[in-house]
Amino acid sequence: QVQLVESGGGLVQAGGSLRLSCAASGGTFASYKMAWFRQASGKEREFVASIGWLGSTSYSDSVKDRFTISRDNAKNAVYLQMNSLKPDDTAVYYCAADYRVGSKDYKYWGQGTQVTVSS
């Protein structure tokens, strides 16, 4: 069983930066595709960014050029560097691991960390 624990969320002013971390335990982290999702209050969960086991990355249009996803397989961790934050980035951010092609979803999810961007 894989456990994911996010950290690094908080309150920041618009234009500021935050770095989210996701620590994984169990499973074979280095082989997993990892991703960040977010869910704002009253809205559906949305994809933010993903990183494959070889390091290939993908971003949603809304965060491209502002956010950077990275991973450290030696530490079983994935990160999300968020720059030029906007109030619209306010959401609970979730880490996800082990993308399954059949279900087109990730098998493991963290509990989330709140990011609030004030205007």
Side-chain angles (χ1 to χ4, degrees):
Q1 186 72 12
V2 174
Q3 292 188 332
L4 304 173
V5 179
E6 302 97 333
S7 62
L11 174 65
V12 64
Q13 289 188 333
S17 298
L18 280 176
R19 187 190 193 214
L20 304 184
S21 300
C22 173
S25 59
T28 52
F29 177 84
S31 69
Y32 293 151
K33 183 175 183 178
M34 303 293 296
W36 288 95
F37 286 76
R38 67 186 182 186
Q39 187 168 20
S41 180
K43 296 186 177 181
E44 294 186 353
R45 183 184 70 191
E46 66 172 351
F47 168 79
V48 175
S50 67
I51 184 165
W53 65 284
L54 289 177
S56 61
T57 58
S58 179
Y59 298 91
S60 68
D61 287 343
S62 61
V63 307
K64 200 171 186 179
D65 298 327
R66 298 189 298 122
F67 292 8
T68 302
I69 189 171
S70 61
R71 67 189 297 160
D72 186 338
N73 291 338
K75 295 182 178 180
N76 285 1
V78 64
Y79 307 99
L80 186 68
Q81 177 66 43
M82 306 186 294
N83 299 328
S84 302
L85 283 161
K86 306 174 181 180
D88 284 349
D89 295 319
T90 296
V92 177
Y93 284 71
Y94 297 92
C95 175
D98 194 12
Y99 180 76
R100 296 301 177 97
V101 175
S103 61
K104 296 183 181 179
D105 201 1
Y106 289 80
K107 183 174 181 180
Y108 304 107
W109 293 84
Q111 82 290 346
T113 185
Q114 176 71 46
V115 171
T116 303
V117 184
S118 63
S119 57

